Amino acid sequence: MKKLLVLCFALALIFACSGCAANPTDENVSIESIGALTESGDLSDSDNSTDLTDSDDSPAVTNSNDSASSENSLGSTKSDISTEPDNSTDSSKTDGSGDSDDSTTNNSGSKLCFHSYKKATCVAPKTCTKCGKTSGKALGHTYSDATCDAPKTCSVCGGTTGSALGHKYITGECVRVVNGKECGHYSETYCPKLYLSGDMSKITDPAQTSKKIECNIDYEYRSSDDNFNGAATIKIQGSSSTKYAKKNYTINFYEDSSYSSKMKIDVGFGAQSKYCLKANWVDKTHSRNVVTAKLAGEMQAKYGLFESAPNNGAIDGFPVEVYINGEFHGLYTMNIPKDEWMFNMDGDNPNHIVICGENWKDPVLFKSVPTDLNDWTVEVGPDDDATLQKVQRLVDFVLNSSDSEFKANFSQYLNLDSTLNYYVMMHCGWMSDNRGKNMLIATYDGKIWYPSLYDLDTTWGTHWTGGSLYNYSSGFLDNSGSVLWQRMEKLYKKEIAARYFELRQDVLSEEHIMATFNSFYDTIPAEVLARETEKWNTEETPIPGYDFTQIQAYLDSVLPRLDDKYKAWR
């Protein structure tokens, strides 16, 4: 009972000294502080102790002003209550807002603070939000390891120290290991990779020319955006290019080795299962074929042609590294094939047809009506008599119509915009290998045909072998005896000139042509080109072709003279 009285007295004294009730819910005002006061016995208002006990050995409750008892005064009893000099005259004064300052003074004139601590941080200990007193130590930072992209970073506060490690690229892919894991980041010029596994010895043999040998293999495709794998079939593609040491291939992707379900992968042209791997053997820039096709696509788009096709009726592609059984085989471009999806056609529709000039024989040059489909080969559509009759109708019109019939009925056989575009592009780019052979012609109704450019790796003045240049410093590309192009020159001179100058304003301006080449070439890492040279540029198999300096020289020489030529045709 006596102890209870002492405790009550201590509580009353504390609140009386504050001049107002302290906040009993403050988490830093503890009952331990009060307990310490009762144990100190220093709770009286004068030098004379007041004994509140019934026996001599009961604890006394006193308050002394001498230096000895001040060591046990209220301000030093507990760290949650501290003393400061009191410059105020009224212990109940406010801070101007009418609220108590949550402090009081003891008998020696020091202000008491009921601390409200803010939690410790990485750089600061617990700190009272009222008086600034600190307790304990700062937590210190907890740093994670630096990565390729970020310096050491504190997991608590987000602070950093040092700098990022930076990427370590090999052929465009970061191989730096951080926390036991390879980074795998791709550089801006990362070249996608196609890994092929299986026995391909029969189709990689430099002496092999057969396009009928098909190999079953496994594949994995890796890029900065996608990763696909499964089974595939692959065979040699091309005509004269089959004789080169480095082959072109047609590849079809499947879900697995049962080859029952084709796997359509989308690498930027829509989801498809069939692609062409172009070796670009005669072009050391690996750019002519795809870039010229991109320009052709822009040209067709300008006149609303093949709008639903991936590149408006022309191929498209991008650089890719090809590995065979783990070994670098070469730099290729992964291209849209001359297939139904190149023209957004339905292979089951008998009127959706694409034919290709296979050689330089008379039927391909419109000098004779074909009797079979050996010279004009069927790429899309049925290879039958019905298709042959549709081709015969076209060739017969070009060959046997009178001049007036040719002009009056042209639109019933050929699309004029597409034909004009083909002619202008062919002559602007000195496309000697596209005047008959390699010419694609497509129809959606079996009647009206659309010429379309294909196989453009020997363009802008280079010979079809890639090893020499045409004499383009004077003269112009001829029509190689093609009746179609001869009749176009004779009967559509003004239309050709008008189309040429329209295209020279944008698609075929010198600046745009070179910008398109440079943009594509920038996507090929220098180290990949170096590996290509090391792999294939040997004494036995030197890589032919010319660089961009030659293309620029060609444009500087030919375009001004073509301007003069077509001005005279207006």
Side-chain angles (χ1 to χ4, degrees):
M1 185 66 184
K2 293 178 180 179
K3 290 183 177 181
L4 181 60
L5 290 172
V6 171
L7 180 60
C8 292
F9 182 77
L11 285 170
L13 181 61
I14 290 172
F15 290 114
C17 289
S18 68
C20 63
N23 182 3
T25 63
D26 192 324
E27 63 179 0
N28 290 309
V29 180
S30 67
I31 203 69
E32 295 175 3
S33 301
I34 302 170
L37 290 173
T38 63
E39 292 174 4
S40 71
D42 187 12
L43 292 173
S44 68
D45 290 333
S46 67
D47 293 339
N48 297 321
S49 299
T50 303
D51 187 356
L52 299 178
T53 64
D54 291 334
S55 63
D56 294 336
D57 59 350
S58 298
V61 182
T62 64
N63 184 11
S64 173
N65 290 326
D66 60 26
S67 61
S69 64
S70 67
E71 292 296 324
N72 288 324
S73 67
L74 182 60
S76 62
T77 300
K78 188 68 176 176
S79 62
D80 285 343
I81 306 174
S82 64
T83 61
E84 302 174 356
D86 185 15
N87 297 320
S88 66
T89 58
D90 183 357
S91 62
S92 62
K93 74 172 186 178
T94 67
D95 61 1
S97 63
D99 296 328
S100 170
D101 63 1
D102 285 338
S103 64
T104 188
T105 56
N106 64 8
N107 291 339
S108 61
S110 297
K111 182 180 290 186
L112 305 178
C113 178
F114 295 90
H115 296 299
S116 176
Y117 283 110
K118 183 180 179 181
K119 290 182 179 180
T121 67
C122 295
V123 296
K126 287 172 58 176
T127 305
C128 178
T129 59
K130 300 173 183 178
C131 70
K133 180 183 176 181
T134 61
S135 175
K137 298 180 179 179
L139 300 177
H141 294 292
T142 303
Y143 286 116
S144 61
D145 291 337
T147 66
C148 295
D149 300 306
K152 289 183 177 181
T153 304
C154 178
S155 60
V156 178
C157 70
T160 61
T161 184
S163 57
L165 300 176
H167 294 292
K168 183 180 179 182
Y169 291 118
I170 294 181
T171 63
E173 186 172 359
C174 181
V175 297
R176 188 183 295 282
V177 176
V178 179
N179 297 324
K181 184 179 179 181
E182 191 172 282
C183 172
H185 181 269
Y186 300 103
S187 69
E188 291 183 0
T189 57
Y190 173 77
C191 193
K193 297 174 175 60
L194 184 63
Y195 297 93
L196 308 177
S197 303
D199 185 3
M200 296 176 59
S201 57
K202 291 183 178 179
I203 62 174
T204 56
D205 182 353
Q208 183 61 261
T209 61
S210 174
K211 297 188 287 184
K212 296 181 180 180
I213 301 173
E214 190 170 73
C215 299
N216 294 341
I217 59 171
D218 294 322
Y219 83 93
E220 180 184 3
Y221 172 84
R222 293 176 61 187
S223 75
S224 57
D225 300 314
D226 299 297
N227 194 333
F228 308 102
N229 62 81
T233 60
I234 188 168
K235 61 182 180 180
I236 294 174
Q237 182 270 341
S239 53
S240 57
S241 61
T242 62
K243 300 179 179 64
Y244 300 145
K246 184 185 176 191
K247 312 295 184 184
N248 301 327
Y249 297 106
T250 296
I251 188 167
N252 286 277
F253 297 119
Y254 292 84
E255 294 284 350
D256 53 49
S257 57
S258 70
Y259 298 96
S260 58
S261 299
K262 288 188 175 181
M263 183 177 185
K264 293 188 175 183
I265 66 174
D266 188 352
V267 293
F269 316 121
Q272 298 294 334
S273 60
K274 180 181 178 181
Y275 291 86
C276 179
L277 295 173
K278 276 288 187 181
N280 300 298
W281 178 254
V282 296
D283 175 25
K284 65 175 59 178
T285 72
H286 293 266
S287 304
R288 277 178 169 83
N289 186 38
V290 172
V291 170
T292 308
K294 287 180 181 293
L295 293 170
E298 290 181 33
M299 177 179 64
Q300 301 286 55
K302 183 178 175 75
Y303 298 95
L305 299 168
F306 303 108
E307 290 184 308
S308 60
N311 189 33
N312 297 83
I315 68 100
D316 204 350
F318 57 88
V320 61
E321 295 180 62
V322 173
Y323 293 79
I324 296 178
N325 295 319
E327 181 181 344
F328 177 75
H329 188 69
L331 173 63
Y332 282 72
T333 53
M334 192 165 172
N335 294 355
I336 297 173
K338 50 179 177 180
D339 198 34
E340 58 193 62
W341 66 280
M342 175 179 171
F343 294 93
N344 192 33
M345 287 185 168
D346 179 0
D348 295 327
N349 186 329
N351 287 322
H352 284 195
I353 302 168
V354 178
I355 58 175
C356 179
E358 193 68 21
N359 50 48
W360 293 99
K361 294 182 179 180
D362 285 355
V364 174
L365 296 174
F366 294 87
K367 290 182 175 181
S368 68
V369 177
T371 57
D372 54 42
L373 291 172
N374 293 327
D375 303 313
W376 284 107
T377 58
V378 179
E379 301 296 335
V380 178
D383 190 349
D384 58 15
D385 288 343
T387 297
L388 174 60
Q389 291 171 10
K390 293 165 185 173
V391 176
Q392 288 173 330
R393 174 181 175 272
L394 170 66
V395 177
D396 180 66
F397 167 74
V398 173
L399 177 62
N400 295 315
S401 61
S402 66
D403 286 354
S404 59
E405 290 173 337
F406 188 81
K407 288 209 71 173
N409 299 322
F410 190 93
S411 62
Q412 297 178 35
Y413 294 85
L414 286 157
N415 177 272
L416 182 59
D417 281 324
S418 186
T419 308
L420 290 171
N421 287 347
Y422 194 106
Y423 179 95
V424 169
M425 190 78 176
M426 178 175 68
H427 283 269
C428 188
W430 205 290
M431 299 174 188
S432 61
D433 208 25
N434 302 90
R435 293 168 290 183
K437 184 178 182 291
N438 295 319
M439 181 180 181
L440 295 183
I441 313 181
T443 181
Y444 292 87
D445 62 3
K447 297 179 180 179
I448 303 171
W449 296 81
Y450 297 73
S452 180
L453 290 157
Y454 178 76
D455 196 9
L456 305 170
D457 52 352
T458 53
T459 50
W460 310 102
T462 57
H463 190 266
W464 67 270
T465 62
S468 62
L469 299 173
Y470 289 102
N471 182 19
Y472 50 73
S473 59
S474 62
F476 304 98
L477 179 71
D478 62 48
N479 291 312
S480 192
S482 169
V483 174
L484 173 62
W485 302 128
Q486 288 173 344
R487 300 200 76 179
M488 288 296 295
E489 281 192 1
K490 178 182 178 181
L491 301 171
Y492 284 95
K493 263 187 169 61
K494 290 185 177 181
E495 290 84 352
I496 289 171
R499 180 57 48 92
Y500 171 81
F501 285 110
E502 287 174 6
L503 291 169
R504 286 282 282 123
Q505 297 302 309
D506 40 48
V507 178
L508 295 182
S509 71
E510 183 174 334
E511 295 76 16
H512 183 67
I513 292 169
M514 289 308 302
T516 307
F517 270 108
N518 289 325
S519 177
F520 182 84
Y521 196 67
D522 285 346
T523 65
I524 307 175
E527 59 265 34
V528 178
L529 286 168
R531 296 174 71 189
E532 170 76 2
T533 301
E534 182 181 359
K535 171 78 175 178
W536 292 106
N537 194 30
T538 66
E539 291 184 5
E540 296 78 17
T541 59
I543 299 177
Y546 296 86
D547 59 19
F548 291 142
T549 303
Q550 179 273 320
I551 297 175
Q552 183 67 68
Y554 170 86
L555 297 175
D556 291 341
S557 173
V558 174
L559 292 185
R561 290 188 292 107
L562 280 176
D563 289 349
D564 292 338
K565 175 183 177 178
Y566 291 124
K567 282 177 183 177
W569 285 20
R570 285 176 165 178

